[in-house]
Amino acid sequence: MNRSRDTTRRRIAMKEEKTGRTIAAYIPARARILDLGCGSGSNLGTILAHDPGCRITGMDLSQGLLALAREKYPQVRFLHQDIRFFPTGSRYQVVIASFSIVHLNGDETRRLLARIAEVLVEGGALYLSFMEGEGAGFETTSFSEEEIYFNFYRSAELTALLQGHGLEVREILRNGYEETDGSVTTDVFLFACKTGAGQQS
């Protein structure tokens, strides 16, 4: 795979703006929220506008992006953390994984979804966004001097994985996005709730 994603950040920002109100609909008052791969905090403005009382923990590997997030949202707890190994001792009403799994391989994503199911309370909600398709590989971008790993997923496969961990998909939104090379990428926004009916360990 050798494509240039010159507008990846713009695409994510645009789609997060479109789905922000939907995210807010799944957030109860004063919810405890975990944002995995929070970056500079693109989701947090909408969430805090919806309910300033939300108690949010954001995690990311980029110290630079975390510095930007801390400057914009000093009321939020931010941790420098690899999301693949985030601690599971706390419980949350909402977990957000916004375009985080696109940088993980299939095995890493399966393990991450299991950890997310573990930390969600009964009735808790997951917001998961990714790019639909098949294949994985390194691609050039306009925001990194090095190539970045991208992985594509099928919605049906992720839905089955989530169901196995007791997470019922409630809503799926899709948006097509034209890349600079003329190809179209489908961005998927999935909302699931924990029902406790999973079968996987």
PDB file of all heavy atoms in Angstrom, residues 164-197:
ATOM      1  N   GLY A 164     -19.195 -10.425  20.742  1.00  0.00           N
ATOM      2  CA  GLY A 164     -18.560 -11.464  21.538  1.00  0.00           C
ATOM      3  C   GLY A 164     -18.114 -10.981  22.897  1.00  0.00           C
ATOM      4  O   GLY A 164     -17.922 -11.779  23.818  1.00  0.00           O
ATOM      5  N   HIS A 165     -17.950  -9.664  23.030  1.00  0.00           N
ATOM      6  CA  HIS A 165     -17.548  -9.082  24.308  1.00  0.00           C
ATOM      7  C   HIS A 165     -18.705  -8.374  24.998  1.00  0.00           C
ATOM      8  O   HIS A 165     -18.495  -7.560  25.908  1.00  0.00           O
ATOM      9  CB  HIS A 165     -16.393  -8.100  24.101  1.00  0.00           C
ATOM     10  CG  HIS A 165     -15.105  -8.766  23.703  1.00  0.00           C
ATOM     11  ND1 HIS A 165     -14.457  -9.669  24.512  1.00  0.00           N
ATOM     12  CD2 HIS A 165     -14.365  -8.668  22.574  1.00  0.00           C
ATOM     13  CE1 HIS A 165     -13.364 -10.092  23.906  1.00  0.00           C
ATOM     14  NE2 HIS A 165     -13.289  -9.512  22.732  1.00  0.00           N
ATOM     15  N   GLY A 166     -19.941  -8.681  24.570  1.00  0.00           N
ATOM     16  CA  GLY A 166     -21.101  -8.109  25.241  1.00  0.00           C
ATOM     17  C   GLY A 166     -21.404  -6.682  24.857  1.00  0.00           C
ATOM     18  O   GLY A 166     -22.072  -5.960  25.612  1.00  0.00           O
ATOM     19  N   LEU A 167     -20.958  -6.256  23.673  1.00  0.00           N
ATOM     20  CA  LEU A 167     -21.221  -4.900  23.198  1.00  0.00           C
ATOM     21  C   LEU A 167     -22.148  -4.969  21.988  1.00  0.00           C
ATOM     22  O   LEU A 167     -21.793  -5.541  20.954  1.00  0.00           O
ATOM     23  CB  LEU A 167     -19.921  -4.188  22.827  1.00  0.00           C
ATOM     24  CG  LEU A 167     -19.010  -3.852  24.007  1.00  0.00           C
ATOM     25  CD1 LEU A 167     -17.612  -3.503  23.532  1.00  0.00           C
ATOM     26  CD2 LEU A 167     -19.585  -2.697  24.806  1.00  0.00           C
ATOM     27  N   GLU A 168     -23.319  -4.392  22.119  1.00  0.00           N
ATOM     28  CA  GLU A 168     -24.321  -4.420  21.057  1.00  0.00           C
ATOM     29  C   GLU A 168     -24.239  -3.138  20.228  1.00  0.00           C
ATOM     30  O   GLU A 168     -24.353  -2.029  20.766  1.00  0.00           O
ATOM     31  CB  GLU A 168     -25.721  -4.549  21.652  1.00  0.00           C
ATOM     32  CG  GLU A 168     -26.832  -4.546  20.622  1.00  0.00           C
ATOM     33  CD  GLU A 168     -28.208  -4.593  21.249  1.00  0.00           C
ATOM     34  OE1 GLU A 168     -28.298  -4.972  22.440  1.00  0.00           O
ATOM     35  OE2 GLU A 168     -29.177  -4.246  20.571  1.00  0.00           O
ATOM     36  N   VAL A 169     -24.032  -3.288  18.932  1.00  0.00           N
ATOM     37  CA  VAL A 169     -23.956  -2.122  18.049  1.00  0.00           C
ATOM     38  C   VAL A 169     -25.341  -1.507  17.906  1.00  0.00           C
ATOM     39  O   VAL A 169     -26.303  -2.184  17.529  1.00  0.00           O
ATOM     40  CB  VAL A 169     -23.388  -2.515  16.666  1.00  0.00           C
ATOM     41  CG1 VAL A 169     -23.444  -1.324  15.715  1.00  0.00           C
ATOM     42  CG2 VAL A 169     -21.963  -3.022  16.807  1.00  0.00           C
ATOM     43  N   ARG A 170     -25.449  -0.225  18.192  1.00  0.00           N
ATOM     44  CA  ARG A 170     -26.726   0.482  18.133  1.00  0.00           C
ATOM     45  C   ARG A 170     -26.857   1.364  16.896  1.00  0.00           C
ATOM     46  O   ARG A 170     -27.968   1.639  16.451  1.00  0.00           O
ATOM     47  CB  ARG A 170     -26.883   1.338  19.393  1.00  0.00           C
ATOM     48  CG  ARG A 170     -26.903   0.539  20.692  1.00  0.00           C
ATOM     49  CD  ARG A 170     -28.184  -0.257  20.842  1.00  0.00           C
ATOM     50  NE  ARG A 170     -28.194  -1.098  22.042  1.00  0.00           N
ATOM     51  CZ  ARG A 170     -28.532  -0.671  23.256  1.00  0.00           C
ATOM     52  NH1 ARG A 170     -28.865   0.603  23.436  1.00  0.00           N
ATOM     53  NH2 ARG A 170     -28.532  -1.500  24.278  1.00  0.00           N
ATOM     54  N   GLU A 171     -25.724   1.817  16.374  1.00  0.00           N
ATOM     55  CA  GLU A 171     -25.796   2.774  15.271  1.00  0.00           C
ATOM     56  C   GLU A 171     -24.482   2.770  14.502  1.00  0.00           C
ATOM     57  O   GLU A 171     -23.414   2.676  15.101  1.00  0.00           O
ATOM     58  CB  GLU A 171     -26.077   4.177  15.828  1.00  0.00           C
ATOM     59  CG  GLU A 171     -26.375   5.236  14.815  1.00  0.00           C
ATOM     60  CD  GLU A 171     -26.805   6.555  15.455  1.00  0.00           C
ATOM     61  OE1 GLU A 171     -26.837   6.632  16.706  1.00  0.00           O
ATOM     62  OE2 GLU A 171     -27.104   7.493  14.704  1.00  0.00           O
ATOM     63  N   ILE A 172     -24.581   2.852  13.174  1.00  0.00           N
ATOM     64  CA  ILE A 172     -23.392   2.958  12.334  1.00  0.00           C
ATOM     65  C   ILE A 172     -23.621   4.072  11.323  1.00  0.00           C
ATOM     66  O   ILE A 172     -24.625   4.072  10.599  1.00  0.00           O
ATOM     67  CB  ILE A 172     -23.079   1.641  11.593  1.00  0.00           C
ATOM     68  CG1 ILE A 172     -22.733   0.525  12.585  1.00  0.00           C
ATOM     69  CG2 ILE A 172     -21.909   1.838  10.630  1.00  0.00           C
ATOM     70  CD1 ILE A 172     -22.447  -0.816  11.923  1.00  0.00           C
ATOM     71  N   LEU A 173     -22.702   5.019  11.270  1.00  0.00           N
ATOM     72  CA  LEU A 173     -22.740   6.109  10.292  1.00  0.00           C
ATOM     73  C   LEU A 173     -21.557   5.935   9.344  1.00  0.00           C
ATOM     74  O   LEU A 173     -20.485   5.500   9.756  1.00  0.00           O
ATOM     75  CB  LEU A 173     -22.656   7.471  10.987  1.00  0.00           C
ATOM     76  CG  LEU A 173     -23.665   7.752  12.099  1.00  0.00           C
ATOM     77  CD1 LEU A 173     -23.390   9.121  12.723  1.00  0.00           C
ATOM     78  CD2 LEU A 173     -25.085   7.681  11.575  1.00  0.00           C
ATOM     79  N   ARG A 174     -21.763   6.295   8.090  1.00  0.00           N
ATOM     80  CA  ARG A 174     -20.693   6.193   7.093  1.00  0.00           C
ATOM     81  C   ARG A 174     -20.595   7.490   6.302  1.00  0.00           C
ATOM     82  O   ARG A 174     -21.603   8.121   6.008  1.00  0.00           O
ATOM     83  CB  ARG A 174     -20.943   5.027   6.138  1.00  0.00           C
ATOM     84  CG  ARG A 174     -20.767   3.648   6.755  1.00  0.00           C
ATOM     85  CD  ARG A 174     -21.003   2.558   5.719  1.00  0.00           C
ATOM     86  NE  ARG A 174     -20.684   1.226   6.239  1.00  0.00           N
ATOM     87  CZ  ARG A 174     -21.512   0.485   6.933  1.00  0.00           C
ATOM     88  NH1 ARG A 174     -22.733   0.927   7.191  1.00  0.00           N
ATOM     89  NH2 ARG A 174     -21.141  -0.712   7.374  1.00  0.00           N
ATOM     90  N   ASN A 175     -19.345   7.831   5.955  1.00  0.00           N
ATOM     91  CA  ASN A 175     -19.103   8.977   5.086  1.00  0.00           C
ATOM     92  C   ASN A 175     -17.985   8.650   4.114  1.00  0.00           C
ATOM     93  O   ASN A 175     -16.920   8.176   4.519  1.00  0.00           O
ATOM     94  CB  ASN A 175     -18.701  10.216   5.907  1.00  0.00           C
ATOM     95  CG  ASN A 175     -19.897  10.941   6.480  1.00  0.00           C
ATOM     96  OD1 ASN A 175     -20.720  11.485   5.759  1.00  0.00           O
ATOM     97  ND2 ASN A 175     -19.998  10.935   7.802  1.00  0.00           N
ATOM     98  N   GLY A 176     -18.229   8.878   2.831  1.00  0.00           N
ATOM     99  CA  GLY A 176     -17.184   8.717   1.833  1.00  0.00           C
ATOM    100  C   GLY A 176     -16.327   9.963   1.759  1.00  0.00           C
ATOM    101  O   GLY A 176     -16.823  11.081   1.887  1.00  0.00           O
ATOM    102  N   TYR A 177     -15.030   9.763   1.571  1.00  0.00           N
ATOM    103  CA  TYR A 177     -14.092  10.888   1.529  1.00  0.00           C
ATOM    104  C   TYR A 177     -13.137  10.689   0.367  1.00  0.00           C
ATOM    105  O   TYR A 177     -12.482   9.652   0.258  1.00  0.00           O
ATOM    106  CB  TYR A 177     -13.319  10.992   2.848  1.00  0.00           C
ATOM    107  CG  TYR A 177     -12.485  12.241   2.941  1.00  0.00           C
ATOM    108  CD1 TYR A 177     -13.023  13.416   3.444  1.00  0.00           C
ATOM    109  CD2 TYR A 177     -11.166  12.248   2.507  1.00  0.00           C
ATOM    110  CE1 TYR A 177     -12.263  14.570   3.520  1.00  0.00           C
ATOM    111  CE2 TYR A 177     -10.407  13.397   2.574  1.00  0.00           C
ATOM    112  CZ  TYR A 177     -10.959  14.553   3.088  1.00  0.00           C
ATOM    113  OH  TYR A 177     -10.199  15.687   3.155  1.00  0.00           O
ATOM    114  N   GLU A 178     -13.065  11.684  -0.494  1.00  0.00           N
ATOM    115  CA  GLU A 178     -12.194  11.590  -1.662  1.00  0.00           C
ATOM    116  C   GLU A 178     -10.767  11.964  -1.287  1.00  0.00           C
ATOM    117  O   GLU A 178     -10.507  13.050  -0.769  1.00  0.00           O
ATOM    118  CB  GLU A 178     -12.683  12.491  -2.794  1.00  0.00           C
ATOM    119  CG  GLU A 178     -11.872  12.327  -4.074  1.00  0.00           C
ATOM    120  CD  GLU A 178     -12.430  13.118  -5.245  1.00  0.00           C
ATOM    121  OE1 GLU A 178     -13.529  13.694  -5.099  1.00  0.00           O
ATOM    122  OE2 GLU A 178     -11.769  13.151  -6.299  1.00  0.00           O
ATOM    123  N   GLU A 179      -9.856  11.040  -1.560  1.00  0.00           N
ATOM    124  CA  GLU A 179      -8.438  11.279  -1.291  1.00  0.00           C
ATOM    125  C   GLU A 179      -7.827  12.108  -2.420  1.00  0.00           C
ATOM    126  O   GLU A 179      -8.440  12.324  -3.472  1.00  0.00           O
ATOM    127  CB  GLU A 179      -7.694   9.941  -1.165  1.00  0.00           C
ATOM    128  CG  GLU A 179      -8.240   9.019  -0.090  1.00  0.00           C
ATOM    129  CD  GLU A 179      -7.888   9.463   1.310  1.00  0.00           C
ATOM    130  OE1 GLU A 179      -7.172  10.464   1.468  1.00  0.00           O
ATOM    131  OE2 GLU A 179      -8.333   8.795   2.267  1.00  0.00           O
ATOM    132  N   THR A 180      -6.600  12.550  -2.198  1.00  0.00           N
ATOM    133  CA  THR A 180      -5.940  13.397  -3.194  1.00  0.00           C
ATOM    134  C   THR A 180      -5.636  12.660  -4.484  1.00  0.00           C
ATOM    135  O   THR A 180      -5.457  13.288  -5.529  1.00  0.00           O
ATOM    136  CB  THR A 180      -4.634  13.967  -2.612  1.00  0.00           C
ATOM    137  OG1 THR A 180      -3.810  12.890  -2.162  1.00  0.00           O
ATOM    138  CG2 THR A 180      -4.920  14.908  -1.452  1.00  0.00           C
ATOM    139  N   ASP A 181      -5.585  11.321  -4.421  1.00  0.00           N
ATOM    140  CA  ASP A 181      -5.315  10.560  -5.636  1.00  0.00           C
ATOM    141  C   ASP A 181      -6.596  10.185  -6.390  1.00  0.00           C
ATOM    142  O   ASP A 181      -6.557   9.450  -7.373  1.00  0.00           O
ATOM    143  CB  ASP A 181      -4.512   9.296  -5.320  1.00  0.00           C
ATOM    144  CG  ASP A 181      -5.263   8.336  -4.393  1.00  0.00           C
ATOM    145  OD1 ASP A 181      -6.420   8.642  -4.024  1.00  0.00           O
ATOM    146  OD2 ASP A 181      -4.686   7.291  -4.042  1.00  0.00           O
ATOM    147  N   GLY A 182      -7.746  10.676  -5.909  1.00  0.00           N
ATOM    148  CA  GLY A 182      -9.011  10.407  -6.571  1.00  0.00           C
ATOM    149  C   GLY A 182      -9.766   9.219  -6.029  1.00  0.00           C
ATOM    150  O   GLY A 182     -10.944   9.029  -6.353  1.00  0.00           O
ATOM    151  N   SER A 183      -9.127   8.382  -5.222  1.00  0.00           N
ATOM    152  CA  SER A 183      -9.819   7.241  -4.622  1.00  0.00           C
ATOM    153  C   SER A 183     -10.740   7.731  -3.499  1.00  0.00           C
ATOM    154  O   SER A 183     -10.607   8.857  -3.016  1.00  0.00           O
ATOM    155  CB  SER A 183      -8.814   6.232  -4.078  1.00  0.00           C
ATOM    156  OG  SER A 183      -8.039   6.818  -3.034  1.00  0.00           O
ATOM    157  N   VAL A 184     -11.685   6.890  -3.111  1.00  0.00           N
ATOM    158  CA  VAL A 184     -12.643   7.246  -2.067  1.00  0.00           C
ATOM    159  C   VAL A 184     -12.464   6.312  -0.872  1.00  0.00           C
ATOM    160  O   VAL A 184     -12.473   5.088  -1.022  1.00  0.00           O
ATOM    161  CB  VAL A 184     -14.090   7.168  -2.578  1.00  0.00           C
ATOM    162  CG1 VAL A 184     -15.072   7.452  -1.446  1.00  0.00           C
ATOM    163  CG2 VAL A 184     -14.302   8.160  -3.714  1.00  0.00           C
ATOM    164  N   THR A 185     -12.290   6.891   0.292  1.00  0.00           N
ATOM    165  CA  THR A 185     -12.199   6.138   1.544  1.00  0.00           C
ATOM    166  C   THR A 185     -13.507   6.294   2.304  1.00  0.00           C
ATOM    167  O   THR A 185     -14.038   7.406   2.391  1.00  0.00           O
ATOM    168  CB  THR A 185     -11.038   6.646   2.408  1.00  0.00           C
ATOM    169  OG1 THR A 185      -9.808   6.425   1.722  1.00  0.00           O
ATOM    170  CG2 THR A 185     -10.997   5.933   3.749  1.00  0.00           C
ATOM    171  N   THR A 186     -14.018   5.194   2.835  1.00  0.00           N
ATOM    172  CA  THR A 186     -15.239   5.244   3.641  1.00  0.00           C
ATOM    173  C   THR A 186     -14.871   5.262   5.113  1.00  0.00           C
ATOM    174  O   THR A 186     -14.263   4.316   5.631  1.00  0.00           O
ATOM    175  CB  THR A 186     -16.149   4.043   3.349  1.00  0.00           C
ATOM    176  OG1 THR A 186     -16.518   4.061   1.968  1.00  0.00           O
ATOM    177  CG2 THR A 186     -17.410   4.105   4.198  1.00  0.00           C
ATOM    178  N   ASP A 187     -15.235   6.341   5.785  1.00  0.00           N
ATOM    179  CA  ASP A 187     -15.038   6.454   7.223  1.00  0.00           C
ATOM    180  C   ASP A 187     -16.287   5.956   7.920  1.00  0.00           C
ATOM    181  O   ASP A 187     -17.413   6.302   7.543  1.00  0.00           O
ATOM    182  CB  ASP A 187     -14.771   7.902   7.623  1.00  0.00           C
ATOM    183  CG  ASP A 187     -13.461   8.421   7.071  1.00  0.00           C
ATOM    184  OD1 ASP A 187     -12.563   7.609   6.814  1.00  0.00           O
ATOM    185  OD2 ASP A 187     -13.337   9.652   6.899  1.00  0.00           O
ATOM    186  N   VAL A 188     -16.098   5.119   8.947  1.00  0.00           N
ATOM    187  CA  VAL A 188     -17.211   4.495   9.658  1.00  0.00           C
ATOM    188  C   VAL A 188     -17.204   4.974  11.106  1.00  0.00           C
ATOM    189  O   VAL A 188     -16.154   5.025  11.751  1.00  0.00           O
ATOM    190  CB  VAL A 188     -17.112   2.959   9.614  1.00  0.00           C
ATOM    191  CG1 VAL A 188     -18.287   2.327  10.357  1.00  0.00           C
ATOM    192  CG2 VAL A 188     -17.079   2.476   8.170  1.00  0.00           C
ATOM    193  N   PHE A 189     -18.408   5.277  11.614  1.00  0.00           N
ATOM    194  CA  PHE A 189     -18.582   5.753  12.986  1.00  0.00           C
ATOM    195  C   PHE A 189     -19.585   4.819  13.660  1.00  0.00           C
ATOM    196  O   PHE A 189     -20.763   4.810  13.305  1.00  0.00           O
ATOM    197  CB  PHE A 189     -19.069   7.202  12.993  1.00  0.00           C
ATOM    198  CG  PHE A 189     -18.200   8.096  12.164  1.00  0.00           C
ATOM    199  CD1 PHE A 189     -18.442   8.248  10.798  1.00  0.00           C
ATOM    200  CD2 PHE A 189     -17.134   8.773  12.725  1.00  0.00           C
ATOM    201  CE1 PHE A 189     -17.630   9.057  10.017  1.00  0.00           C
ATOM    202  CE2 PHE A 189     -16.322   9.581  11.951  1.00  0.00           C
ATOM    203  CZ  PHE A 189     -16.559   9.718  10.596  1.00  0.00           C
ATOM    204  N   LEU A 190     -19.107   4.034  14.601  1.00  0.00           N
ATOM    205  CA  LEU A 190     -19.893   2.961  15.202  1.00  0.00           C
ATOM    206  C   LEU A 190     -20.155   3.273  16.672  1.00  0.00           C
ATOM    207  O   LEU A 190     -19.248   3.687  17.402  1.00  0.00           O
ATOM    208  CB  LEU A 190     -19.132   1.647  15.038  1.00  0.00           C
ATOM    209  CG  LEU A 190     -19.747   0.349  15.528  1.00  0.00           C
ATOM    210  CD1 LEU A 190     -19.205  -0.827  14.718  1.00  0.00           C
ATOM    211  CD2 LEU A 190     -19.434   0.118  17.017  1.00  0.00           C
ATOM    212  N   PHE A 191     -21.392   3.049  17.093  1.00  0.00           N
ATOM    213  CA  PHE A 191     -21.796   3.287  18.474  1.00  0.00           C
ATOM    214  C   PHE A 191     -22.357   1.991  19.036  1.00  0.00           C
ATOM    215  O   PHE A 191     -23.255   1.386  18.449  1.00  0.00           O
ATOM    216  CB  PHE A 191     -22.843   4.398  18.551  1.00  0.00           C
ATOM    217  CG  PHE A 191     -22.368   5.706  17.971  1.00  0.00           C
ATOM    218  CD1 PHE A 191     -22.466   5.950  16.612  1.00  0.00           C
ATOM    219  CD2 PHE A 191     -21.805   6.679  18.782  1.00  0.00           C
ATOM    220  CE1 PHE A 191     -22.017   7.151  16.064  1.00  0.00           C
ATOM    221  CE2 PHE A 191     -21.353   7.873  18.242  1.00  0.00           C
ATOM    222  CZ  PHE A 191     -21.456   8.106  16.882  1.00  0.00           C
ATOM    223  N   ALA A 192     -21.820   1.551  20.163  1.00  0.00           N
ATOM    224  CA  ALA A 192     -22.238   0.294  20.773  1.00  0.00           C
ATOM    225  C   ALA A 192     -22.444   0.488  22.265  1.00  0.00           C
ATOM    226  O   ALA A 192     -21.854   1.376  22.892  1.00  0.00           O
ATOM    227  CB  ALA A 192     -21.188  -0.789  20.534  1.00  0.00           C
ATOM    228  N   CYS A 193     -23.299  -0.373  22.850  1.00  0.00           N
ATOM    229  CA  CYS A 193     -23.562  -0.321  24.276  1.00  0.00           C
ATOM    230  C   CYS A 193     -23.306  -1.678  24.901  1.00  0.00           C
ATOM    231  O   CYS A 193     -23.578  -2.711  24.298  1.00  0.00           O
ATOM    232  CB  CYS A 193     -25.003   0.110  24.552  1.00  0.00           C
ATOM    233  SG  CYS A 193     -25.326   1.837  24.134  1.00  0.00           S
ATOM    234  N   LYS A 194     -22.799  -1.685  26.124  1.00  0.00           N
ATOM    235  CA  LYS A 194     -22.473  -2.930  26.811  1.00  0.00           C
ATOM    236  C   LYS A 194     -23.741  -3.556  27.393  1.00  0.00           C
ATOM    237  O   LYS A 194     -24.433  -2.937  28.195  1.00  0.00           O
ATOM    238  CB  LYS A 194     -21.453  -2.688  27.903  1.00  0.00           C
ATOM    239  CG  LYS A 194     -20.973  -3.982  28.573  1.00  0.00           C
ATOM    240  CD  LYS A 194     -19.822  -3.710  29.519  1.00  0.00           C
ATOM    241  CE  LYS A 194     -19.332  -4.989  30.182  1.00  0.00           C
ATOM    242  NZ  LYS A 194     -18.196  -4.748  31.087  1.00  0.00           N
ATOM    243  N   THR A 195     -24.011  -4.781  26.969  1.00  0.00           N
ATOM    244  CA  THR A 195     -25.195  -5.500  27.447  1.00  0.00           C
ATOM    245  C   THR A 195     -24.832  -6.633  28.390  1.00  0.00           C
ATOM    246  O   THR A 195     -25.708  -7.188  29.049  1.00  0.00           O
ATOM    247  CB  THR A 195     -25.968  -6.092  26.257  1.00  0.00           C
ATOM    248  OG1 THR A 195     -25.141  -7.073  25.608  1.00  0.00           O
ATOM    249  CG2 THR A 195     -26.332  -5.008  25.257  1.00  0.00           C
ATOM    250  N   GLY A 196     -23.545  -7.024  28.400  1.00  0.00           N
ATOM    251  CA  GLY A 196     -23.117  -8.087  29.286  1.00  0.00           C
ATOM    252  C   GLY A 196     -23.407  -9.475  28.779  1.00  0.00           C
ATOM    253  O   GLY A 196     -23.275 -10.457  29.506  1.00  0.00           O
ATOM    254  N   ALA A 197     -23.763  -9.567  27.463  1.00  0.00           N
ATOM    255  CA  ALA A 197     -24.138 -10.878  26.918  1.00  0.00           C
ATOM    256  C   ALA A 197     -23.025 -11.518  26.119  1.00  0.00           C
ATOM    257  O   ALA A 197     -23.259 -12.439  25.344  1.00  0.00           O
ATOM    258  CB  ALA A 197     -25.380 -10.722  26.044  1.00  0.00           C
TER     259      ALA A 197
END
